Amino acid sequence: MRADLAIAERDMMSGLSKGLAVIETFSAERPRQSIAEVAAASGLDRATARRCLLTLAHQGYADWDGKFFTLTPRVLRLGTACLATMPLPQIVQPFLDALSDQIGESSSVSILDGAEIVYVARAAQQKVMSIALMPGSRLPAHCTSMGRVLLAALPEAAARALLGPGPLAARTPLTLTEPEAVMAALTRIRAEGHALNDQEIETGLRSIAVPVQDARGRVVAAMNIGVSAARATPDEMRARFLPALQGVQDSLRKMLR
């Protein structure tokens, strides 16, 4: 929504808002939930959460075994419809495909949505994370290479607000959990023009990311390469993959208006 367009509360559909809040409680960490769990995660009362879940099940967006609810693939229609209207995935996908073919590793593009990144395009050479990544997948911004690139592009106050007071969630023993430590990392990223993540999102995974900029220099997304930590040290990541990322970065800057 455009920031300058205010919508009166009387024009909003509260039932739709509550249904969307229920859908958003499901994640890779919480794929199967009871009514009580959804109510707690969404902030809705149990009766409202129950009605939303039963409606989703009736419409084919959720399965229910009598106690637990899971989302069905039909939910992907919502994300697919959104992605289909976005020119960015269509523009970057051929570049990602060529990049991954060139280096033999997986590459991705994501955008920032609150304190999370959302994958909008991906070229997978091999599985590098324990969870399956695809367009629409979400990960925390504070401990991912693409997330830090996108946070670094924000005004400092905006980045601090998204990080919050902390401590931040630790995905591995190496995850930075103090907001000030992440802010210091963002300062380095602004100076160096790239972010390197060393096993902060998942043990055994390293990634390197750069901003995707349009022709005016505005950061519109982030692009990364992810590899098994056993195949490349941090220094090798910079030497082997950063030039390839920067080459695609330059090509995309000429195409994005």
Side-chain angles (χ1 to χ4, degrees):
M1 185 183 73
R2 277 172 45 191
D4 59 338
L5 291 181
I7 298 178
E9 189 169 344
R10 66 176 181 274
D11 293 324
M12 297 178 64
M13 186 179 295
S14 63
L16 177 59
S17 297
K18 292 171 183 176
L20 293 173
V22 164
I23 290 174
E24 289 179 351
T25 66
F26 290 87
S27 66
E29 291 77 23
R30 296 196 303 262
R32 185 169 176 264
Q33 300 186 91
S34 66
I35 292 171
E37 289 169 332
V38 169
S42 65
L44 301 172
D45 59 70
R46 282 177 60 103
T48 300
R50 178 179 179 274
R51 289 197 301 272
C52 289
L53 287 164
L54 291 176
T55 300
L56 289 171
H58 178 72
Q59 296 296 326
Y61 289 101
D63 281 333
W64 182 42
D65 64 6
K67 182 177 181 180
F68 294 101
F69 289 83
T70 57
L71 296 183
T72 69
R74 188 183 183 93
V75 171
L76 293 176
R77 294 184 182 183
L78 304 177
T80 301
C82 173
L83 291 172
T85 64
M86 296 173 61
L88 180 63
Q90 299 170 16
I91 293 172
V92 302
Q93 189 63 58
F95 287 91
L96 288 185
D97 291 339
L99 174 63
S100 289
D101 287 343
Q102 172 192 343
I103 63 175
E105 304 288 353
S106 299
S107 60
S108 307
V109 167
S110 70
I111 59 175
L112 190 66
D113 183 18
E116 296 180 313
I117 59 169
V118 182
Y119 283 69
V120 298
R122 180 165 169 78
Q125 288 286 324
Q126 51 191 310
K127 189 173 181 180
V128 292
M129 288 191 69
S130 60
I131 60 172
L133 294 175
M134 63 190 73
S137 294
R138 291 174 172 266
L139 289 174
H142 74 273
C143 57
T144 54
S145 60
M146 289 190 289
R148 287 187 182 165
V149 160
L150 293 167
L151 290 173
L154 297 176
E156 184 173 331
R160 285 185 180 276
L162 287 177
L163 292 175
L168 300 164
R171 295 289 292 250
T172 78
L174 296 177
T175 304
L176 296 182
T177 59
E178 292 302 321
E180 287 305 319
V182 177
M183 291 300 298
L186 300 187
T187 298
R188 291 193 297 272
I189 290 165
R190 293 187 193 102
E192 297 174 355
H194 69 274
L196 194 143
N197 185 290
D198 189 2
Q199 305 181 78
E200 290 192 54
I201 185 65
E202 183 166 307
T203 300
L205 173 69
R206 291 191 175 110
S207 63
I208 187 167
V210 298
V212 175
Q213 300 164 315
D214 64 14
R216 299 180 184 179
R218 297 174 299 187
V219 175
V220 297
M223 174 175 52
N224 86 341
I225 293 169
V227 306
S228 166
R231 295 203 301 274
T233 66
D235 286 342
E236 289 171 341
M237 293 283 293
R238 292 187 178 92
R240 290 168 55 186
F241 303 127
L242 185 55
L245 280 172
Q246 291 170 331
V248 177
Q249 181 187 47
D250 289 340
S251 297
L252 287 173
R253 187 183 295 115
K254 298 169 186 175
M255 297 188 64
L256 296 172
R257 302 295 176 185

